[in-house]
Amino acid sequence: MEIVKELPEIFEEFSDQRRKSFLAVKEIKDRGIPVVGSYCTYFPKEIAVAAGAVPISLCSMSDEPIPDAEKELPKNLCPLIKSSYGFAKTDKCPYFHFSDVVVGETTCDGKKKMYEYMREFKDIITMQLPQTQDEDALEAWEKEIRKLAAYLEQKFGTEVTEEKLRAAVKQQNAIRQGLKELSGVMKADPTPMSGLDLFNVLYGSQFKFDLDGIPAELSALKEQIRAEYDPAAREKKPRILITGCPMGGATLKVVRAVEENGGVVVCYENCSGYKSYDRMVDEQDPDVWHALAERYLSIGCSVMTPNPNRLELLGRLCDEFHVDGVLEMTLSACHTYNLETHQIRNFVTKEKGLPFFSVETDYSQADIGQLNTRIAAFIEML
């Protein structure tokens, strides 16, 4: 770990949160609190919270269950989908096991079919995600959000009232703002910590179930990092922004390759980072359902066509974090992100005037040597 002086205890807590939460989720179930699992940032967590449930992200970032998944799924499928399905099918993901329902979304063909197969052994509701971001799409997405609320109301014998929904919006906005402000410490040059440390906090926050307490913990960590920050004791390094597919688990090998070869990851634009907490739900909108739909549909994922919101966020983060280069990580057989690489390369190199580097990988460890060699050459060029 790279924070100056001693690593704050709260930082260690976030880093280790996913493992500890295996037991916590069982305790939640024992108290009779429902659990709603999901895989995607398009899932409106506020609906689950307003229904009295705990939202939880499900396992999908390891190659361990992939051989089991490949007994039913094709080998040339995206590793994220195979991992997700393998964990679910073998019942090796505690969060999936304890989820009363899993909320899916039609982001890609592989996930749509995966949710269809999962229905054989789990309650699944699949939200029909529009893949444009115009007014017609917004209307359709609001209907899907209302359908989700009605489903959870019936499932849990509760009512998603406007009052509950607005309280959930305020809570989730506070969490998003906390994550955004914590991520902002990496705007300093040199950075006060490593990008891997930052990622562990961002990722670990998904597995904290005291949702009301998360903003205060994030704020305390941010203040402690700033208090311990001594620029003279830190080394300036090439500043890398990572974009592309969701990261975590096995794909952290890419972050390690950057930081073990002289660079530092200052920002994650992908679903594991800013994409999930950059935009807030408009708390002043008199129609809370419309505000929710607008916030979630505006996420700039590669499944959207056209996809201007990804470019807007990427460009803004390049400026705010003073990046020296952009690294895109795509997963093998993730067609939407791989297809969009051409557009992202042109935007980064021509519009922003920055070096761009793309790596395609999977969840195996077989390419670690190659990743180190190629990423080291990119950083040396910077």
Side-chain angles (χ1 to χ4, degrees), residues 2 36 42 47 59 125-126 130 153 188 201 207 239 276 287 289 330 370 372:
E2 285 195 56
V36 177
Y42 281 110
I47 301 297
C59 310
I125 176 170
T126 303
E153 285 178 327
V201 177
F207 302 96
R239 302 168 62 84
S276 67
D287 185 346
W289 297 95
T330 58
Q370 183 187 64
N372 273 284

mmCIF file of all heavy atoms in Angstrom, residues 2 36 42 47 59 125-126 130 153 188 201 207 239 276 287 289 330 370 372:
data_model
loop_
_atom_site.group_PDB
_atom_site.id
_atom_site.type_symbol
_atom_site.label_atom_id
_atom_site.label_comp_id
_atom_site.label_asym_id
_atom_site.label_seq_id
_atom_site.Cartn_x
_atom_site.Cartn_y
_atom_site.Cartn_z
ATOM 1 N N GLU A 2 0.391 2.334 -0.631
ATOM 2 C CA GLU A 2 1.276 3.454 -0.871
ATOM 3 C C GLU A 2 0.925 4.740 -0.136
ATOM 4 O O GLU A 2 1.540 5.758 -0.351
ATOM 5 C CB GLU A 2 1.297 3.762 -2.371
ATOM 6 C CG GLU A 2 2.107 2.744 -3.151
ATOM 7 C CD GLU A 2 2.404 3.255 -4.537
ATOM 8 O OE1 GLU A 2 2.978 4.344 -4.645
ATOM 9 O OE2 GLU A 2 2.031 2.578 -5.481
ATOM 10 N N VAL A 36 -31.573 -7.808 -3.070
ATOM 11 C CA VAL A 36 -31.746 -7.717 -4.520
ATOM 12 C C VAL A 36 -30.373 -7.667 -5.168
ATOM 13 O O VAL A 36 -29.590 -6.748 -4.918
ATOM 14 C CB VAL A 36 -32.567 -6.473 -4.913
ATOM 15 C CG1 VAL A 36 -32.662 -6.362 -6.433
ATOM 16 C CG2 VAL A 36 -33.965 -6.528 -4.297
ATOM 17 N N TYR A 42 -26.754 0.115 -14.720
ATOM 18 C CA TYR A 42 -28.071 0.602 -15.139
ATOM 19 C C TYR A 42 -29.167 0.219 -14.145
ATOM 20 O O TYR A 42 -30.281 0.724 -14.230
ATOM 21 C CB TYR A 42 -28.433 0.070 -16.528
ATOM 22 C CG TYR A 42 -27.752 0.815 -17.650
ATOM 23 C CD1 TYR A 42 -26.753 0.213 -18.409
ATOM 24 C CD2 TYR A 42 -28.107 2.126 -17.958
ATOM 25 C CE1 TYR A 42 -26.128 0.898 -19.439
ATOM 26 C CE2 TYR A 42 -27.480 2.816 -18.984
ATOM 27 C CZ TYR A 42 -26.493 2.201 -19.719
ATOM 28 O OH TYR A 42 -25.860 2.882 -20.737
ATOM 29 N N ILE A 47 -34.794 1.900 -6.281
ATOM 30 C CA ILE A 47 -36.044 1.137 -6.255
ATOM 31 C C ILE A 47 -35.964 0.020 -5.217
ATOM 32 O O ILE A 47 -36.901 -0.205 -4.446
ATOM 33 C CB ILE A 47 -36.355 0.551 -7.647
ATOM 34 C CG1 ILE A 47 -36.467 1.675 -8.686
ATOM 35 C CG2 ILE A 47 -37.635 -0.270 -7.608
ATOM 36 C CD1 ILE A 47 -37.593 2.651 -8.424
ATOM 37 N N CYS A 59 -21.174 -11.675 -7.969
ATOM 38 C CA CYS A 59 -19.840 -12.141 -8.378
ATOM 39 C C CYS A 59 -19.766 -12.305 -9.890
ATOM 40 O O CYS A 59 -20.638 -12.953 -10.496
ATOM 41 C CB CYS A 59 -19.520 -13.466 -7.692
ATOM 42 S SG CYS A 59 -19.789 -13.466 -5.896
ATOM 43 N N ILE A 125 -35.861 -10.765 -12.856
ATOM 44 C CA ILE A 125 -36.639 -9.798 -13.629
ATOM 45 C C ILE A 125 -35.655 -9.057 -14.525
ATOM 46 O O ILE A 125 -34.637 -8.527 -14.052
ATOM 47 C CB ILE A 125 -37.432 -8.812 -12.738
ATOM 48 C CG1 ILE A 125 -38.133 -7.784 -13.631
ATOM 49 C CG2 ILE A 125 -36.561 -8.155 -11.670
ATOM 50 C CD1 ILE A 125 -39.135 -6.900 -12.899
ATOM 51 N N THR A 126 -35.911 -9.061 -15.811
ATOM 52 C CA THR A 126 -35.012 -8.437 -16.771
ATOM 53 C C THR A 126 -35.610 -7.131 -17.274
ATOM 54 O O THR A 126 -36.696 -7.119 -17.851
ATOM 55 C CB THR A 126 -34.731 -9.369 -17.967
ATOM 56 O OG1 THR A 126 -34.199 -10.603 -17.484
ATOM 57 C CG2 THR A 126 -33.736 -8.741 -18.928
ATOM 58 N N PRO A 130 -33.446 0.466 -23.254
ATOM 59 C CA PRO A 130 -33.312 1.055 -24.590
ATOM 60 C C PRO A 130 -31.834 1.280 -24.903
ATOM 61 O O PRO A 130 -31.029 1.457 -23.994
ATOM 62 C CB PRO A 130 -34.053 2.396 -24.460
ATOM 63 C CG PRO A 130 -34.885 2.276 -23.230
ATOM 64 C CD PRO A 130 -34.150 1.346 -22.310
ATOM 65 N N GLU A 153 -42.711 -4.648 -5.166
ATOM 66 C CA GLU A 153 -43.827 -4.457 -4.244
ATOM 67 C C GLU A 153 -44.576 -5.766 -4.025
ATOM 68 O O GLU A 153 -44.890 -6.146 -2.888
ATOM 69 C CB GLU A 153 -44.795 -3.393 -4.790
ATOM 70 C CG GLU A 153 -44.282 -1.968 -4.667
ATOM 71 C CD GLU A 153 -45.240 -0.957 -5.265
ATOM 72 O OE1 GLU A 153 -45.913 -1.309 -6.273
ATOM 73 O OE2 GLU A 153 -45.317 0.164 -4.748
ATOM 74 N N ALA A 188 -4.432 15.423 -7.372
ATOM 75 C CA ALA A 188 -3.149 15.949 -6.900
ATOM 76 C C ALA A 188 -2.006 15.297 -7.671
ATOM 77 O O ALA A 188 -2.084 14.145 -8.081
ATOM 78 C CB ALA A 188 -2.998 15.684 -5.406
ATOM 79 N N VAL A 201 -11.115 0.762 -2.545
ATOM 80 C CA VAL A 201 -12.146 1.495 -1.807
ATOM 81 C C VAL A 201 -13.423 1.600 -2.638
ATOM 82 O O VAL A 201 -14.527 1.349 -2.144
ATOM 83 C CB VAL A 201 -11.656 2.896 -1.415
ATOM 84 C CG1 VAL A 201 -12.776 3.670 -0.720
ATOM 85 C CG2 VAL A 201 -10.455 2.799 -0.496
ATOM 86 N N PHE A 207 -20.068 -3.276 -1.208
ATOM 87 C CA PHE A 207 -20.402 -4.400 -0.335
ATOM 88 C C PHE A 207 -20.586 -3.960 1.115
ATOM 89 O O PHE A 207 -20.486 -4.760 2.034
ATOM 90 C CB PHE A 207 -19.322 -5.481 -0.443
ATOM 91 C CG PHE A 207 -19.148 -5.973 -1.844
ATOM 92 C CD1 PHE A 207 -18.159 -5.444 -2.669
ATOM 93 C CD2 PHE A 207 -20.002 -6.919 -2.367
ATOM 94 C CE1 PHE A 207 -18.008 -5.873 -3.978
ATOM 95 C CE2 PHE A 207 -19.868 -7.361 -3.674
ATOM 96 C CZ PHE A 207 -18.873 -6.842 -4.476
ATOM 97 N N ARG A 239 0.542 9.775 -15.517
ATOM 98 C CA ARG A 239 -0.826 9.675 -14.998
ATOM 99 C C ARG A 239 -1.721 9.006 -16.049
ATOM 100 O O ARG A 239 -1.903 9.527 -17.147
ATOM 101 C CB ARG A 239 -1.339 11.065 -14.632
ATOM 102 C CG ARG A 239 -0.450 11.758 -13.589
ATOM 103 C CD ARG A 239 -0.777 13.239 -13.439
ATOM 104 N NE ARG A 239 -2.143 13.450 -12.977
ATOM 105 C CZ ARG A 239 -2.506 13.408 -11.704
ATOM 106 N NH1 ARG A 239 -1.602 13.147 -10.753
ATOM 107 N NH2 ARG A 239 -3.759 13.631 -11.360
ATOM 108 N N SER A 276 -20.320 5.118 -12.754
ATOM 109 C CA SER A 276 -21.369 4.694 -11.818
ATOM 110 C C SER A 276 -21.752 5.774 -10.817
ATOM 111 O O SER A 276 -22.785 5.659 -10.152
ATOM 112 C CB SER A 276 -20.915 3.436 -11.066
ATOM 113 O OG SER A 276 -19.820 3.730 -10.212
ATOM 114 N N ASP A 287 -41.061 15.230 -10.569
ATOM 115 C CA ASP A 287 -41.405 13.849 -10.932
ATOM 116 C C ASP A 287 -40.190 12.965 -10.656
ATOM 117 O O ASP A 287 -39.263 12.893 -11.461
ATOM 118 C CB ASP A 287 -41.795 13.783 -12.408
ATOM 119 C CG ASP A 287 -42.289 12.396 -12.826
ATOM 120 O OD1 ASP A 287 -42.084 11.432 -12.062
ATOM 121 O OD2 ASP A 287 -42.873 12.288 -13.914
ATOM 122 N N TRP A 289 -39.851 9.775 -10.621
ATOM 123 C CA TRP A 289 -39.691 8.658 -11.559
ATOM 124 C C TRP A 289 -38.961 9.117 -12.815
ATOM 125 O O TRP A 289 -38.071 8.424 -13.317
ATOM 126 C CB TRP A 289 -41.051 8.064 -11.919
ATOM 127 C CG TRP A 289 -41.771 7.481 -10.756
ATOM 128 C CD1 TRP A 289 -42.708 8.090 -9.965
ATOM 129 C CD2 TRP A 289 -41.595 6.166 -10.217
ATOM 130 N NE1 TRP A 289 -43.129 7.236 -8.977
ATOM 131 C CE2 TRP A 289 -42.473 6.050 -9.107
ATOM 132 C CE3 TRP A 289 -40.801 5.079 -10.560
ATOM 133 C CZ2 TRP A 289 -42.563 4.884 -8.341
ATOM 134 C CZ3 TRP A 289 -40.889 3.913 -9.811
ATOM 135 C CH2 TRP A 289 -41.754 3.822 -8.719
ATOM 136 N N THR A 330 -10.409 -3.799 -22.754
ATOM 137 C CA THR A 330 -11.618 -4.477 -23.212
ATOM 138 C C THR A 330 -11.479 -5.968 -22.959
ATOM 139 O O THR A 330 -10.371 -6.511 -22.943
ATOM 140 C CB THR A 330 -11.871 -4.235 -24.710
ATOM 141 O OG1 THR A 330 -10.741 -4.697 -25.462
ATOM 142 C CG2 THR A 330 -12.103 -2.769 -24.996
ATOM 143 N N GLN A 370 2.906 -10.607 -21.067
ATOM 144 C CA GLN A 370 2.696 -9.782 -22.254
ATOM 145 C C GLN A 370 2.127 -8.413 -21.880
ATOM 146 O O GLN A 370 2.548 -7.383 -22.424
ATOM 147 C CB GLN A 370 1.743 -10.495 -23.211
ATOM 148 C CG GLN A 370 1.511 -9.753 -24.519
ATOM 149 C CD GLN A 370 0.429 -10.415 -25.354
ATOM 150 O OE1 GLN A 370 -0.723 -10.464 -24.949
ATOM 151 N NE2 GLN A 370 0.810 -10.939 -26.506
ATOM 152 N N ASN A 372 2.545 -6.791 -19.072
ATOM 153 C CA ASN A 372 3.618 -6.011 -18.463
ATOM 154 C C ASN A 372 4.544 -5.428 -19.519
ATOM 155 O O ASN A 372 4.928 -4.256 -19.447
ATOM 156 C CB ASN A 372 4.407 -6.873 -17.475
ATOM 157 C CG ASN A 372 3.803 -6.871 -16.092
ATOM 158 O OD1 ASN A 372 3.926 -5.908 -15.339
ATOM 159 N ND2 ASN A 372 3.116 -7.951 -15.742
#
